[in-house]
Amino acid sequence: MIKVVNMEKSYENQLVLKGVNFTVQKGSIYGLLGSNGAGKTTLLKTVSGILTQDKGHVFIDDSPLFEQVQIKDRVVFIPDTLYFFPQYTIRQTAQFYKNIYSCWDESRFLKLNEVFEIDIDKKIHKFSKGMQRQVAFWLAMSAMPKILVLDEPLDGLDPVMRKKVKNLIVQDVAEREMTVLISSHNLREVEDICDHIGILHKGTIILEKELDDLKSDVHKVQVAFKKDVPSNLFEDLNVLYKEERGSVLLCIVRGNNTDIMSHFKTFEPDIFDMLPLTLEEIFIYEMGDAGYAIKNILV
Amino acid sequence: MFDLDVRSRKPIYEQLVEKLKELIMNDVLKVDDQLPSVRTLAQQLTINPNTIQKAYRELETQGYIYSLKGKGSFVNATVKSVNIEKLEKVKKELVRLLTEAMYLGVSSQELERLIADIESSLGGGRSND
């Protein structure tokens, strides 16, 4: 379990994280989304004990983590810019990991070679970006972490490898309740494996929810009337966004599926279409609410 | 066993519930058959195990499956409620199609004739209640 309480962090005099609170339950996969420069990487680095927070607390299974070797032993962090020792082969790096992580599983490491199909005696820095990322996953999964923290993990991996990597993560979550914290702004990448989503914006979490609830809670409705639009159409509805596209009304409504449907049906629209939102759309509208709207600027 | 559309707008757990219901309703999964374990399914579909757990819980509260501690989940004998639900679905679909047909100018006499045809082709032996 990861628990972050009122955490603040600043670099020099720039406040990056302004009181972040969130919890990732054991065995859960938490997707941390956020605008560019929202503080995602800083948050992840603090959670994995690389940086120390200025205020507040970070707990891993109820104990603080910073400089606590026995806790950090079960935490693995894959940063967005990977670092390997220069001139080291995979085998040598694995040896290094083995000395650091007490739960290192050598047989698993050798078995995973079948998944990654990379020559174990080659120097890592000679590999391409995508292959280095594979090596990072390979090493991380062999260290049997209880907590896995991933910063933009699938960047630079091809679709087959993405699927393989996701599959490995999911298996570890199912088998030994590994806790995973993933940051990404590529929402489609994380949509299928996360169960909880948090949106970080300007240093605070502005939304945190179970992904399925989030998806079934907000709907996109398209209605059109031959006659004039009834004036009381939006009464008693929680409308997040409204737009007229010609004669078609497009709106984003929060609420129960059947309630919304029956509400609109009473006005007998000529065209009625209701869809759940994709994570991408949820992100855009929620961010719009937070003053981070898409501005269609013509250039 | 089946595939999900992870890019779909529908929540994955809803899709799972529907897919499994479909399999149960169509007797692909028979009464007392064991459902795949959360682990296997997570691995096969590459989706979050918690989502599968949630879907199984939902199916259990709806009475489609029952679970035995340490053994897994099994299909429940709930033919009746299953059929009611299926009937509801078919009726809804029918209403939609009939509305469309009427919009396109099919008269109710024509529709009745169609129904009569279908009835006779089904064997016609059933009473018309």
Side-chain angles (χ1 to χ4, degrees):
Chain A
M1 191 185 78
I2 306 170
K3 196 168 170 193
V4 174
V5 187
N6 275 326
M7 202 240 289
E8 279 186 18
K9 172 80 193 164
S10 49
Y11 293 125
E12 291 172 12
N13 49 12
Q14 187 191 355
L15 191 59
V16 180
L17 297 174
K18 308 164 188 168
V20 173
N21 286 293
F22 74 99
T23 311
V24 185
Q25 295 301 336
K26 189 180 177 199
S28 161
I29 306 180
Y30 190 102
L32 184 69
L33 316 175
S35 45
N36 293 132
K40 294 191 295 283
T41 301
T42 307
L43 180 54
L44 294 192
K45 280 188 177 165
T46 327
V47 165
S48 39
I50 294 167
L51 299 173
T52 172
Q53 66 278 12
D54 299 338
K55 276 184 200 157
H57 307 275
V58 178
F59 298 109
I60 303 285
D61 293 337
D62 296 321
S63 38
L65 149 98
F66 191 71
E67 300 293 8
Q68 299 299 311
V69 176
Q70 73 280 14
I71 308 278
K72 287 179 89 171
D73 183 37
R74 306 307 312 275
V75 180
V76 172
F77 174 55
I78 302 185
D80 55 345
T81 32
L82 300 169
Y83 178 79
F84 295 105
F85 295 137
Q87 306 299 330
Y88 263 51
T89 64
I90 299 178
R91 198 188 292 279
Q92 286 164 331
T93 314
Q95 188 59 44
F96 175 74
Y97 267 62
K98 203 166 152 182
N99 292 333
I100 300 282
Y101 289 106
S102 63
C103 293
W104 176 268
D105 188 336
E106 185 73 17
S107 59
R108 191 171 210 215
F109 173 71
L110 296 173
K111 190 142 195 272
L112 284 177
N113 200 1
E114 288 167 28
V115 176
F116 293 109
E117 293 171 2
I118 302 175
D119 187 348
I120 194 167
D121 286 314
K122 276 213 168 125
K123 286 181 181 166
I124 300 177
H125 77 271
K126 289 200 172 157
F127 291 132
S128 72
K129 181 186 167 198
M131 283 177 88
Q132 289 191 358
R133 203 154 269 280
Q134 290 180 33
V135 174
F137 267 109
W138 185 3
L139 294 168
M141 299 312 266
S142 307
M144 305 293 279
K146 240 160 80 182
I147 312 274
L148 184 62
V149 182
L150 306 169
D151 196 359
E152 298 287 350
L154 303 170
D155 243 24
L157 294 182
D158 66 61
V160 176
M161 214 21 95
R162 269 178 212 200
K163 183 106 186 171
K164 280 189 188 171
V165 164
K166 280 186 192 171
N167 208 311
L168 286 175
I169 296 175
V170 160
Q171 279 189 59
D172 265 20
V173 171
E175 245 163 81
R176 47 188 196 85
E177 292 200 294
M178 179 172 70
T179 308
V180 188
L181 177 60
I182 300 182
S183 92
S184 185
H185 43 236
N186 192 344
L187 307 184
R188 290 180 185 209
E189 254 178 17
V190 297
E191 211 167 344
D192 45 346
I193 56 166
C194 290
D195 46 47
H196 282 75
I197 292 289
I199 298 181
L200 189 71
H201 181 55
K202 288 187 178 163
T204 45
I205 301 256
I206 55 169
L207 181 106
E208 191 185 17
K209 239 183 169 170
E210 213 170 303
L211 182 57
D212 286 329
D213 287 352
L214 200 62
K215 276 188 154 185
S216 50
D217 194 41
V218 188
H219 307 271
K220 185 179 189 168
V221 180
Q222 295 187 71
V223 277
F225 295 91
K226 275 187 201 145
K227 299 161 280 177
D228 287 343
V229 179
S231 56
N232 57 345
L233 182 64
F234 295 112
E235 256 171 42
D236 310 321
L237 278 185
N238 187 353
V239 182
L240 291 180
Y241 176 80
K242 193 159 53 168
E243 186 187 325
E244 257 176 73
R245 288 186 182 161
S247 50
V248 179
L249 262 172
L250 177 98
C251 48
I252 309 295
V253 188
R254 179 171 278 160
N256 183 284
N257 189 331
T258 41
D259 289 351
I260 296 172
M261 186 139 20
S262 59
H263 173 90
F264 276 102
K265 287 278 176 187
T266 53
F267 295 98
E268 297 181 347
D270 294 288
I271 291 173
F272 176 79
D273 198 14
M274 187 158 114
L275 297 165
L277 260 70
T278 61
L279 188 53
E280 216 158 30
E281 285 167 320
I282 292 171
F283 183 80
I284 290 172
Y285 291 115
E286 291 291 345
M287 285 305 232
D289 253 13
Y292 191 72
I294 300 173
K295 297 186 184 82
N296 290 316
I297 300 167
L298 291 172
V299 283
Chain B
M1 189 164 72
F2 51 77
D3 226 342
L4 299 174
D5 182 6
V6 291
R7 300 280 179 267
S8 160
R9 291 161 179 275
K10 247 197 187 145
I12 292 176
Y13 110 96
E14 244 173 59
Q15 285 186 48
L16 252 178
V17 168
E18 263 169 37
K19 276 268 157 47
L20 287 168
K21 266 192 203 171
E22 209 177 287
L23 291 178
I24 294 171
M25 281 190 222
N26 296 324
D27 277 333
V28 180
L29 287 172
K30 294 179 191 67
V31 175
D32 294 331
D33 269 1
Q34 186 172 7
L35 271 79
S37 75
V38 171
R39 227 184 91 188
T40 337
L41 212 52
Q43 200 249 332
Q44 270 177 11
L45 303 171
T46 318
I47 53 172
N48 193 313
N50 299 312
T51 311
I52 299 167
Q53 202 100 56
K54 199 169 151 197
Y56 278 15
R57 267 203 306 273
E58 175 72 25
L59 284 169
E60 203 176 330
T61 40
Q62 289 186 23
Y64 285 86
I65 61 172
Y66 63 94
S67 63
L68 297 176
K69 233 192 166 98
K71 284 194 173 158
S73 302
F74 301 85
V75 177
N76 216 345
T78 51
V79 191
K80 207 167 172 194
S81 70
V82 169
N83 274 342
I84 288 171
E85 192 166 318
K86 200 171 175 184
L87 204 67
E88 250 348 276
K89 223 172 162 179
V90 170
K91 269 187 188 162
K92 259 193 190 152
E93 191 72 356
L94 261 180
V95 169
R96 196 182 62 79
L97 284 173
L98 287 175
T99 326
E100 204 174 325
M102 280 174 169
Y103 264 125
L104 292 171
V106 183
S107 69
S108 49
Q109 284 91 344
E110 259 175 282
L111 288 175
E112 273 166 33
R113 224 175 11 250
L114 262 177
I115 295 169
D117 281 353
I118 295 167
E119 207 167 25
S120 59
S121 75
L122 279 179
R126 291 175 201 175
S127 62
N128 195 10
D129 53 16

